[in-house]
Amino acid sequence: EDQVTQSPEALRLQEGESSSLNCSYTVSGLRGLFWYRQDPGKGPEFLFTLYSAGEEKEKERLKATLTKKESFLHITAPKPEDSATYLCAVQASQGNLIFGKGTKLSVKP
Amino acid sequence: DADVTQTPRNRITKTGKRIMLECSQTKGHDRMYWYRQDPGLGLRLIYYSFDVKDINKGEISDGYSVSRQAQAKFSLSLESAIPNQTALYFCATSEGVDYGYTFGSGTRLTVV
């Protein structure tokens, strides 16, 4: 069964304190791993797609990496505006996405 | 205008009532999806459609039905609403298998 597990459930950081979010997955034949950002009361916003182990993508203070079993979202020198819930998802064989439960990130000034 | 528009944004309804949530998209994509989001459970797939003539059940389709009226429109119905269908509902669209989703802003549904 395809499955996505994210950790930690919640993360509190001070502004400037770098850290990483984890997404571990089990899927038969990975076709893509996706990261989304979700602000309260809003729909998830697409960040990255990773397709193969070793691949990395960056956007501002965020960098996503992928191995054969997990993905990391590295946040470098975060700012309060980076506070959000970050969702990880994998592409299932039918073509739909299976989401993890998310990591709620809070960055304090 | 938003790429994916959901109506209504908020709705309170009574147990046993029939309710329809509507979704329209301007992306021109064939694929559309309905998810619900509950605290602690994440996003779970209700139904998805890969084109106007293709409708598929997702992980949690019981108690729900859908209608794909056109490429741009995908509606979700609760035939007889029950309190445990209280949740945040999202519609999404995608260009294809290897592409990310574009989500709407969600409908917050409360069944009392």
Side-chain angles (χ1 to χ4, degrees):
Chain A
E1 181 183 354
D2 299 336
Q3 197 167 6
V4 178
T5 303
Q6 292 188 247
S7 62
E9 291 185 11
L11 182 61
R12 290 189 174 190
L13 299 174
Q14 288 296 126
E15 185 171 2
E17 180 187 1
S18 301
S19 188
S20 296
L21 282 54
N22 177 263
C23 172
S24 62
Y25 62 90
T26 54
V27 63
S28 52
L30 181 68
R31 300 191 59 171
L33 185 140
F34 299 79
W35 282 98
Y36 287 83
R37 170 191 171 126
Q38 186 176 22
D39 293 299
K42 295 187 177 181
E45 177 185 345
F46 172 73
L47 291 174
F48 305 109
T49 308
L50 301 166
Y51 293 104
S52 57
E55 189 175 359
E56 299 182 352
K57 291 202 176 164
E58 290 188 61
K59 180 179 181 180
E60 296 181 357
R61 295 175 291 283
L62 300 177
K63 183 169 80 172
T65 62
L66 181 65
T67 72
K68 289 186 178 180
K69 293 184 178 181
E70 58 192 355
S71 177
F72 293 93
L73 185 65
H74 307 278
I75 303 175
T76 302
K79 298 181 178 181
E81 54 261 42
D82 294 322
S83 297
T85 295
Y86 290 86
L87 302 173
C88 172
V90 295
Q91 189 97 59
S93 56
Q94 305 96 316
N96 54 287
L97 293 184
I98 297 172
F99 284 84
K101 296 178 182 180
T103 293
K104 184 175 182 180
L105 174 66
S106 299
V107 182
K108 301 299 182 184
Chain B
D1 290 341
D3 291 330
V4 180
T5 301
Q6 292 185 237
T7 56
R9 288 299 312 275
N10 293 281
R11 180 73 182 266
I12 299 174
T13 192
K14 294 184 177 180
T15 297
K17 292 291 187 180
R18 183 179 189 276
I19 183 170
M20 179 182 288
L21 309 183
E22 298 188 346
C23 175
S24 63
Q25 52 107 348
T26 59
K27 301 283 283 185
H29 296 166
D30 287 326
R31 297 173 177 238
M32 297 188 74
Y33 310 83
W34 276 104
Y35 283 84
R36 67 176 278 177
Q37 188 173 42
D38 300 273
L41 294 178
L43 283 160
R44 293 181 292 166
L45 183 64
I46 306 172
Y47 271 95
Y48 59 104
S49 170
F50 286 168
D51 65 42
V52 175
K53 297 182 180 180
D54 176 74
I55 302 289
N56 303 281
K57 292 183 178 180
E59 178 186 356
I60 53 165
S61 59
D62 287 348
Y64 302 94
S65 63
V66 290
S67 173
R68 185 81 185 266
Q69 300 96 326
Q71 184 199 42
K73 296 183 181 295
F74 193 35
S75 300
L76 176 71
S77 293
L78 287 66
E79 297 301 326
S80 180
I82 57 177
N84 76 359
Q85 291 177 313
T86 293
L88 189 55
Y89 289 84
F90 287 104
C91 175
T93 184
S94 72
E95 184 174 354
V97 172
D98 297 324
Y99 294 86
Y101 292 1
T102 301
F103 282 85
S105 298
T107 293
R108 184 169 296 279
L109 177 66
T110 303
V111 183
V112 298

